[in-house]
Every structure is written in C-alpha cells, then in structure tokens.
Amino acid sequence: MSLSLADWLAAQSVDPALISGLASMAASCAEIAVVLRNAPLAGQTGLAGHTNVQGEAQKALDVISNDIVLNHLRANPQISILISEEMHEAVHFENQGRFIVATDPLDGSSNLDVNVTVGTIFSILDAKGGILQPGSAQLAAGYAAYGPATSLVLTLGKGVGVFTLDEAGTFRLTTDTVSVPEASSEFAINTARERFWDEATRGYVAENIAGETGAAGKRYNMRWVGSMVADIHRILMRGGIFLYPLDSETLAKGGRLRLLYEANPMAMLIEAAGGRSTTGRQRILDLMPSAIHQRVPVILGSADEVKRVEDWYSRAG
Ligand code: AHM
Ligand code: MG
C-alpha cells in the first residue's frame, strides 16, 4: 500500500507544528469530500439564502465547508488565525498558535449542482508575519480536488505531492514527482469575456487560435472547466496555461480571483512544480497584499506560455 500523507510528511523533516496544521486541512478536506458525495441525497444543494463578503450568493455547501474548516482549525492550537473567502473578517482564535491559514473552503461552487469537480484551496503562513504577507512567504500551500477521485495536492516549497483519498478516509501518495512541462499547447480562459480583454490578452489568444498559421506556429486546444481547482489540476498534471486576466469589467476590483487564498497558493504550487506565475506584469508571489480579500489578475502554468503572455504585456507597455 502506498505511503499515507502522515508518513510522507514525517519523512520530509518538516516542523511538527506545521505538519499538524497540514493534517487539520487534510482532515477538513476528507470531511468535505464525504459531504459533497452525499449532498444531493441529503438535500444540501442550492443556495444558502445570503451573500458573502464578495457579494456572491453563498451555496449551502459553501457555508457547510467553511464550518468544517473552521471547526478543525479552531481545535488546533497551532493555528491562531483563519482567513476565509466566506468570512468578512479574519478569525483570531484564542491561542498562541504559530500559523495563519487562508482558504477558499469550496472553490468553483457554481459547478456544484451539475456534479463538476470543485475544490478547497489553502495557504499556510507564519503568524509572526501578520495577516498581509506576500505569497513568497507561504510555508505550505495546497488544494483538494473533489473529482472522480479526491486528490490532495500540496507543496512545502520544493516539489509537489499528490495524494488520493482511500475508502478508509486516508490520503495516500499517488506521486511526488509532479513537473509542469515547459512547453504546452493547451490554454484555459473564459472566452465569453473577450469584449472586456486588454490588448495583451487579445493578442496572445488570437495567436493561439491562429494555430500553425499564427506567430506561435503550432495548433492549440482550449479547455475551461470554470472551476479553478480542476483547471489548475489539469495544468499541474499535463501542462497548459490558465488565465483570468485583468479586464475592463474587473478593472475596478483589481481582477476576479483572490490573492490570499486562490492566486498565492496556486502560484506556489505551479512554481514548485517548475511552472511560472504572473499578473501579466509582476510575479504573483511578489505582490504585497493590502487587504485580505484583495483580487488580482492570475496567469500561470507552463513557463513558455506564461513568458509569451508576459512578452505581450511588456510590448503593450
Ligand atoms: P468562487 O470562489 O466564487 O467559486 O469563484 C472562483 C471561480 C474559479 O473557480 C473559476 O476559475 C472562476 O471563478 C470562474 O469564473 P467565470 O465565472 O468567469 O467562469
Ligand atoms: Mg474561490
């Protein structure tokens, strides 16, 4: 039988307190997986009846998933602060815990009622640095993808481990040699937003669509699940590029996706597997956050493709 997550972590010579934080997130994800699997039978689909801090309609499962993470982390004396997409303010637990967890407890929840892969994304930071730290300060990052199998994907900085939830509720190692290929011919972007795009995004996508006859000189394919965890999981496993750029509609908000619990953990994972991440003009992990729910443009994946987008941005000025 393959190595359990606990045994794998023990072999990494990582701070036991950090391992305990990761174990709480893994336990949360295992519990959310069971809830999601049974939700249509338990009548837990649909809206919760209110909106979250982002003004988005919360699903019943958004609220349930947030509660699961909150309960696991509250019970862990190593965690002092929780930042969640579903909660307006950071929650300060009454302890001297050394770590902050930032999470989107259930990302892609608009896909829930159609049984498409959704996920939990998380980032772990040293509490000494305060709640607003750049992504480069993350100690660990990961996500769970609730698909045909439940995968837990995590990094402690170098390398990425993928674990699969077994029937007994234990995450077991599938691979820890994940490497995002430098070259790729698959891109992921919501093309329905084309009329809002800037010149760089337009130029890059047009070249891809032109295929062999365009500047890229090769044929591309397009994939967009509309569930970030599913799109990033595909890119980690076989390469490609994901773009949610700044566009004229998201300009005032700074972008669509959130820095602390979507962009930063995904950028850390992609870079730990040899890929690249940018807003178009700056490395995501170097951004200094100014608010816990801050939004940013997100472009990440295979290095050659991300560099092409960066070239477009530098030419656009
Ligand atoms: P959420 O956190 O409210 O679920 O929103 C994030 C999701 C991502 O999973 C996905 O990449 C993106 O929003 C989809 O956006 P769009 O609705 O433009 O397709
Ligand atoms: Mg989200």
Side-chain angles (χ1 to χ4, degrees):
M1 194 180 286
S2 57
L3 216 55
S4 70
L5 172 65
D7 290 343
W8 184 85
L9 284 170
Q12 303 300 306
S13 60
V14 186
D15 180 348
L18 181 58
I19 292 185
S20 151
L22 287 166
S24 291
M25 280 315 301
S28 305
C29 294
E31 197 175 326
I32 294 169
V34 174
V35 170
L36 294 180
R37 211 182 295 143
N38 294 296
L41 296 171
Q44 285 165 326
T45 51
L47 297 176
H50 32 259
T51 54
N52 66 9
V53 55
Q54 338 269 336
E56 297 155 348
Q58 274 180 316
K59 303 267 180 170
L61 289 165
D62 282 324
V63 177
I64 294 168
S65 303
N66 187 63
D67 287 348
I68 290 173
V69 175
L70 184 60
N71 289 336
H72 277 279
L73 297 188
R74 200 201 305 274
N76 186 334
Q78 303 296 347
I79 312 295
S80 54
I81 299 174
L82 171 62
I83 295 166
S84 165
E85 176 173 331
E86 302 303 331
M87 296 188 294
H88 189 58
E89 307 282 353
V91 177
H92 294 253
F93 302 123
E94 285 169 18
N95 64 30
Q96 300 300 310
R98 290 177 36 210
F99 303 109
I100 298 174
V101 173
T103 186
D104 181 352
L106 199 55
D107 184 66
S109 50
S110 65
N111 289 299
L112 275 171
D113 296 348
V114 289
N115 198 17
V116 164
T117 297
V118 290
T120 300
I121 313 172
F122 60 92
S123 159
I124 303 188
L125 294 151
D126 189 331
K128 279 205 241 60
I131 55 173
L132 299 177
Q133 302 181 47
S136 55
Q138 292 172 105
L139 301 173
Y143 63 78
Y146 309 107
T150 293
S151 307
L152 184 75
V153 179
L154 66 88
T155 183
L156 297 157
K158 282 197 193 97
V160 171
V162 180
F163 303 83
T164 304
L165 190 64
D166 72 11
E167 289 193 359
T170 302
F171 282 105
R172 294 197 174 277
L173 183 65
T174 314
T175 171
D176 55 5
T177 56
V178 178
S179 168
V180 178
E182 248 176 84
S184 159
S185 49
E186 210 163 56
F187 67 102
I189 189 167
N190 182 350
T191 51
R193 304 187 61 80
E194 184 176 354
R195 69 199 159 105
F196 305 123
W197 289 351
D198 58 19
E199 186 193 332
T201 308
R202 257 173 221 283
Y204 171 74
V205 173
E207 276 180 2
N208 291 0
I209 291 172
E212 304 91 323
T213 64
K218 62 179 178 182
R219 181 174 294 211
Y220 279 75
N221 206 355
M222 203 280 281
R223 288 284 180 273
W224 178 254
V225 181
S227 183
M228 190 189 196
V229 169
D231 283 311
I232 299 296
H233 194 65
R234 182 188 62 250
I235 291 167
L236 270 174
M237 295 300 118
R238 71 176 190 210
I241 182 172
F242 172 94
L243 305 98
Y244 216 116
L246 195 61
D247 61 33
S248 62
E249 198 183 43
T250 58
L251 193 61
K253 288 180 170 175
R256 164 79 165 93
L257 299 170
R258 275 56 52 115
L259 176 58
L260 263 56
Y261 41 80
E262 291 173 329
N264 274 343
M266 291 311 197
M268 185 180 184
L269 284 159
I270 289 283
E271 290 196 13
R276 204 172 162 89
S277 78
T278 181
T279 62
R281 302 183 186 280
Q282 213 182 338
R283 181 177 173 235
I284 289 172
L285 296 176
D286 289 338
L287 295 174
M288 195 51 166
S290 54
I292 61 171
H293 297 294
Q294 181 177 343
R295 297 175 189 255
V296 288
V298 176
I299 297 157
L300 37 73
S302 291
D304 288 356
E305 293 304 310
V306 175
K307 281 184 200 152
R308 275 184 56 217
V309 179
E310 288 171 316
D311 287 347
W312 267 101
Y313 273 97
S314 61
R315 285 198 299 270

